[in-house]
Amino acid sequence: MKELQVGIFGLGTVGSGTVDILTNNKEIIQTSTTTPVRVKTVCVKDTSKQRKVNLHGSKLTSDPNDILDDPEIDIVVEVMGGIEYSKSVIEQAFKKGKHVVSANKDLIALYGKELTDMARKHNCHFFFEAAVAGGIPILRALQFSLIGNQIQKIGGIINGSTNYILTRMQVEELSLDKIIDDAKRLGYLEADPSADLEGYDAARKCAILASIAFNNLVTFDQVYVSGINNITLEDIKYAKNLGYTIKLLAIAENTESGIVARVHPCLIPSSHPLAGVMYSFNAVYVICDKLGETMFYGKGAGDLPTGSAVVNDIASIAKNISFNQKPEYGYKILNESRVLSIDEQSFSYYLRLNVQKNLINISDVLNIFDKYKITIKTLDKFEKKQNGNSSLDYIITTGTSLEESFNKAVKEIEDLSSINCKAKIIRIERGL
Ligand code: NAP
Ligand code: HSE
């Protein structure tokens, strides 16, 4: 029986996990693929580095052509990261008729459609399950397991490091700064932590999820994004008192007026399944018209969880080749709905105003909300003592308002002479 030969670019976290699983679960994999799968060559930057996996005779090289020019290699796995070089490696692989698996969310969020068009042109398979929520098979579920359903809305915790930080803030009452170093040490944060903290990593994954769920191209730059940098312990406590948990959510929704794609901190009811997703775990909550609600939960990062998704893609390709299946692609752009701006969307809000004691007449604030027809659901007042100074935190939750109107109201409130700070605003997610 012909062995399928794999060439892997990258032997870091994900590459090592992939090699480990392909080696140690070889027999299990073969029961599915029927064809044996073997790693022939691994390309890295620095061949002299100590590696944590045994390559069992696979060639280690720093020359990309050892893979790209090898006619025996059927499947190329790109687990290097970065954009331009990885893109060029994948393009060259397609031109040589090689099938491709990638875990590269940054690349797919930007060039997923372009690379899919190229794969289609060269009749190559192209999978990238590990790019969203690591080991959770969510792209495969959206593409293959919910046929017969219209996917209406997705709410995802798809960035493990920020979920880890928010969970520890909530459980241990530590400030964000105190947890960042641990999140770095545990390898949860990207080399540039702002990609996680400012929400960009989740926004890239959100663009991929929305594109595949709705068969409608959504690019990274179309996703509204706001990160967790400004979330404080106080907000977490006030939210808890109101029955909410703060999570960084990626929301994708297919509405009559357009596609919603946004990533930002949200208050969600503490009884919601997503509120119970703790530490570095990921979860994707999907609402469909026939199945109803379903949630996919698991590890969104790390060598073996992410390697598991990469291996599943390799095995799917091997199986498709064995059974002569034509390629099917995640990016099937059949619809052209526009992506809504955040100003066009409506939310309920949590708003915190910190004011000097005795200086504020809260009815001035309420009158402004009234002027904009924004209803007040709850209004609480807490005395706060900090560095010998005493002030008041007003916590207001509102009914639904168009974001644009809400922002105008908040601007007027902040301009009141008695308000000495910017309002803290967090959206409340009600439709999940
Ligand atoms: P990593 O640990 O930094 O490993 C990167 C690997 O790529 C290293 O082995 C490096 O070689 C190799 N490499 C870099 N530039 C290269 C080049 N020009 N030629 C050949 N090899 C090159 O990265 P990672 O965490 O495994 O992530 C890989 C990809 O998976 C990224 O796209 C990432 O976003 C994605 N991903 C990662 C996770 C995760 O949990 N880590 C989860 C989901 C998706 P050397 O070893 O010689 O330096
Ligand atoms: N930094 C990413 C996260 C790694 O925190 O989820 C996995 O994509």
Side-chain angles (χ1 to χ4, degrees):
M1 187 185 292
K2 182 188 175 295
E3 262 184 342
L4 272 173
Q5 310 278 351
V6 176
I8 302 183
F9 283 87
L11 193 61
T13 306
V14 183
S16 303
T18 303
V19 170
D20 179 315
I21 299 170
L22 285 173
T23 311
N24 292 316
N25 282 0
K26 199 176 168 147
E27 282 79 28
I28 297 174
I29 295 164
Q30 202 179 322
T31 55
S32 168
T33 58
T34 65
T35 315
V37 173
R38 173 178 168 253
V39 178
K40 184 173 185 195
T41 309
V42 178
C43 179
V44 292
K45 224 186 208 162
D46 177 1
T47 51
S48 68
K49 245 191 209 173
Q50 187 80 17
R51 301 291 162 182
K52 55 175 193 182
V53 280
N54 186 336
L55 287 179
H56 294 283
S58 308
K59 177 175 178 176
L60 187 69
T61 180
S62 58
D63 181 355
N65 294 324
D66 285 346
I67 293 178
L68 295 170
D69 288 344
D70 183 342
E72 286 188 352
I73 290 183
D74 307 284
I75 302 173
V76 166
V77 175
E78 183 280 302
V79 282
M80 291 180 287
I83 309 274
E84 295 310 327
Y85 183 66
S86 290
K87 180 168 182 264
S88 120
V89 162
I90 293 175
E91 286 170 343
Q92 290 178 68
F94 287 146
K95 281 184 192 155
K96 306 245 169 168
K98 299 185 192 301
H99 310 286
V100 173
V101 172
S102 173
N104 194 332
K105 56 218 166 179
D106 302 21
L107 176 67
I108 308 296
L110 276 175
Y111 296 112
K113 182 185 176 301
E114 189 182 313
L115 289 170
T116 299
D117 289 345
M118 193 160 180
R120 190 177 280 114
K121 184 173 156 202
H122 293 277
N123 200 28
C124 295
H125 295 275
F126 181 36
F127 288 119
F128 38 85
E129 179 66 70
V132 180
I136 305 175
I138 182 63
L139 299 186
R140 198 161 294 277
L142 295 175
Q143 197 184 337
F144 297 113
S145 310
L146 294 170
I147 294 167
N149 280 270
Q150 184 164 20
I151 297 164
Q152 295 165 325
K153 185 166 181 179
I154 297 176
I157 295 175
I158 50 178
N159 182 268
S161 49
T162 48
N163 200 47
Y164 171 82
I165 292 168
L166 290 174
T167 305
R168 285 196 60 194
M169 287 174 79
Q170 178 199 327
V171 172
E172 297 171 43
E173 302 197 352
L174 291 171
S175 68
L176 189 140
D177 306 344
K178 296 216 165 76
I179 309 166
I180 284 182
D181 284 345
D182 283 351
K184 268 188 203 154
R185 189 175 43 76
L186 289 164
Y188 297 150
L189 282 165
E190 302 284 321
D192 169 11
S194 64
D196 294 305
L197 300 174
E198 289 172 24
Y200 298 117
D201 177 73
R204 292 186 178 104
K205 294 166 180 168
C206 183
I208 301 172
L209 272 179
S211 299
I212 291 176
F214 310 136
N215 293 321
N216 196 106
L217 183 63
V218 176
T219 51
F220 168 54
D221 55 311
Q222 291 174 310
V223 180
Y224 169 82
V225 57
S226 153
I228 66 160
N229 278 320
N230 294 325
I231 300 296
T232 65
L233 264 183
E234 287 161 322
D235 296 315
I236 288 180
K237 286 186 203 163
Y238 290 138
K240 190 178 169 195
N241 284 342
L242 291 162
Y244 293 106
T245 301
I246 299 181
K247 292 287 186 190
L248 182 73
L249 292 191
I251 305 284
E253 189 174 1
N254 197 0
T255 75
E256 287 200 345
S257 35
I259 301 282
V260 165
R262 51 186 163 86
V263 168
H264 53 80
C266 296
L267 264 68
I268 48 171
S270 296
S271 56
H272 193 282
L274 284 171
V277 177
M278 309 279 271
Y279 298 102
S280 63
F281 275 88
N282 281 201
V284 185
Y285 194 84
V286 184
I287 304 177
C288 320
D289 63 344
K290 304 300 175 198
L291 168 64
E293 295 164 25
T294 180
M295 187 163 99
F296 300 80
Y297 171 85
K299 289 191 175 160
D303 53 357
L304 295 176
T306 314
S308 160
V310 172
V311 168
N312 194 52
D313 282 350
I314 296 170
S316 299
I317 293 176
K319 208 165 150 180
N320 287 343
I321 295 172
S322 300
F323 295 102
N324 235 342
Q325 296 285 323
K326 285 179 95 176
E328 273 195 65
Y329 301 105
Y331 276 76
K332 289 188 277 296
I333 307 307
L334 307 173
N335 308 313
E336 291 183 351
S337 296
R338 86 190 168 86
V339 179
L340 299 178
S341 78
I342 197 77
D343 276 349
E344 295 172 278
Q345 299 174 47
S346 293
F347 303 95
S348 301
Y349 298 87
Y350 157 100
L351 175 133
R352 173 157 66 93
L353 287 171
N354 182 255
V355 293
Q356 291 303 310
K357 236 173 147 183
N358 305 326
L359 273 185
I360 186 177
N361 184 356
I362 194 67
S363 58
D364 294 342
V365 172
L366 301 182
N367 286 341
I368 293 174
F369 278 130
D370 197 43
K371 178 175 143 193
Y372 284 92
K373 301 194 168 27
I374 297 169
T375 54
I376 304 300
K377 294 279 182 196
T378 61
L379 169 62
D380 293 293
K381 182 173 76 174
F382 298 91
E383 190 169 347
K384 189 163 133 184
K385 289 207 166 72
Q386 215 170 26
N387 308 327
N389 293 326
S390 186
S391 62
L392 291 176
D393 263 345
Y394 278 96
I395 309 297
I396 296 170
T397 62
T398 73
T400 309
S401 157
L402 193 67
E403 172 103 354
E404 194 179 17
S405 313
F406 183 78
N407 283 340
K408 282 184 187 158
V410 169
K411 173 88 181 59
E412 276 190 38
I413 290 168
E414 286 173 340
D415 287 347
L416 286 171
S417 56
S418 53
I419 304 282
N420 64 349
C421 73
K422 284 193 79 70
K424 170 63 87 55
I425 295 158
I426 307 175
R427 299 178 188 87
I428 301 176
E429 190 60 43
R430 293 204 188 278
L432 275 177

